[in-house]
Amino acid sequence: MREGDTIVVLNAGSSSLKFSTFRADGACLERELRGQVSGIGQSPRLVARRGAETVADLALDDADHGRALEVLVDVLRAELHDRPIAGVGHRVVHGGLEFMAPTRVDAAVLERLERFVPLAPLHQPHNLNTIRRMLERLPGVPEVACFDTAFHRTVPEVAQLYALPRRYAEAGVRRYGFHGLSYEYVASVMPAIDARAAMGRTIVLHLGNGASMCALRGGRSVATTMGFTALEGLPMGTRTGSLDPGVLLFLFDEMKLGVRDVEHLLYHESGLLGLSGLSSDMRELLASDRPEARLAVEVFVYRAVRELGSLAAALGGLDAVVYTAGIGENQAEIRARIADGAAWLGLALDDHANARHERCIGVAGGRVAAYVVPTDEELMIARHVAALLG
Ligand code: ADP
């Protein structure tokens, strides 16, 4: 990598393609552009911003993922004034046990990554198709896969195993954990925020549409709430979180639901949306005075408190909590309610600091420190690409 080179970061979802670009500036990576193509498959729209300025806002007729990516590459080329793209980093949900570090992708690696499609059917195909198309579109430019599972490969085996016969674990049915790039970013900035907590026991609460928590000891993941898929753990915007597996048997056997119906139910119709019948968006639920909305929020908080206690047990104590992602960074009420439920652990928030979303929100002299740290998965990916390219 040379001074002024650009790294492009792509995060492909089922109906969206998020992107950022970073420019190498000395030892730093400066973010230049960020934006997304949203509504792919329905009414796609590409928005790109440079800081607060909108530099592109285009409606794309009938664009599928392939076409959206073509338009995006054209927009990036124009906005980067043909400065060289040194590499492209991709968020890839699943790297299994095999991929423990960011990896430059070629046809052989793509083939190996295809094997994880059944473990992340809603995300992995889009991640891999995007890489495949970029390899065709920008031949010679390194495409680097960064995995959401990789950060959790330090989790001890006892926390990875389900109590199934061992042959299932050998076939890959084990707890992998996700949101790893977010946790890795938070772990990377913690030494500058609280050196003692960074060396000690911290629980990071990544509370967004997808929600999970991670227990860090000395900055390494030792336990996390998501497992084999991104369904386990906390209830989320539209996902169930942990469920008695007996419920699935009942849905199949007694309610005669098909596999795809159950998949849709678990990923898209449940969580805050399912409980409230109103919305998957925490803002809307908190603004509503409907009892169903209140109950959905109560279940979310209750389950978060229980998971926090469980991770504190895995750590054998707690030095700090960090709130991040959409809800964690912006919803003071949810932060406070979870902290209230974890008061027995020694967690107490300073109401004023919490209401103002300050970085340090724990009470002065509190036993457990508390922070709000905006996550930056894209920057984490760009750092990995820069490190790999040297
Ligand atoms: P994703 O997992 O899709 O990246 P986000 O991290 O954006 O999701 O989180 C979405 C959730 O965060 C929603 O429930 C929303 O209510 C909440 N949220 C996001 N931004 C804000 C904000 N500025 N103020 C309040 N709540 C927010």
Side-chain angles (χ1 to χ4, degrees), residues 161-173:
L161 289 177
Y162 290 112
L164 286 165
R166 277 307 297 259
R167 62 182 180 279
Y168 292 96
E170 275 141 33
V173 182

Side-chain angles (χ1 to χ4, degrees), residues 262-319:
V262 170
E263 181 179 78
H264 199 266
L265 176 71
L266 300 180
Y267 278 96
H268 298 295
E269 300 170 47
S270 300
L272 295 174
L273 175 65
L275 282 163
S276 68
L278 285 174
S279 171
S280 62
D281 193 301
M282 188 59 94
R283 268 173 296 200
E284 286 181 37
L285 297 180
L286 288 174
S288 166
D289 50 15
R290 301 260 293 268
E292 310 89 284
R294 285 211 201 118
L295 188 65
V297 177
E298 244 168 70
V299 171
F300 181 84
V301 169
Y302 170 79
R303 295 273 295 272
V305 167
R306 287 194 51 175
E307 293 287 358
L308 191 61
S310 162
L311 291 183
L315 284 169
L318 188 61
D319 300 310

Side-chain angles (χ1 to χ4, degrees), residues 18 206-210 272 280-283 325-327 330-331:
K18 294 184 186 152
H206 178 110
L207 308 178
N209 266 323
L272 295 174
S280 62
D281 193 301
M282 188 59 94
R283 268 173 296 200
I327 297 170
N330 299 293
Q331 300 283 6

Side-chain angles (χ1 to χ4, degrees), residues 197-274:
M199 304 269 291
R201 300 157 300 182
T202 299
I203 295 176
V204 186
L205 295 81
H206 178 110
L207 308 178
N209 266 323
S212 72
M213 293 185 196
C214 179
L216 300 174
R217 182 180 290 124
R220 302 173 113 212
S221 172
V222 295
T224 188
T225 58
M226 282 178 170
F228 178 59
T229 69
L231 281 175
E232 197 178 345
L234 302 169
M236 311 180 206
T238 61
R239 288 175 242 166
T240 50
S242 294
L243 200 65
D244 176 351
V247 172
L248 302 184
L249 301 179
F250 181 82
L251 295 179
F252 289 130
D253 268 352
E254 299 299 322
M255 301 191 81
K256 307 292 178 208
L257 294 189
V259 175
R260 294 282 83 81
D261 296 330
V262 170
E263 181 179 78
H264 199 266
L265 176 71
L266 300 180
Y267 278 96
H268 298 295
E269 300 170 47
S270 300
L272 295 174
L273 175 65

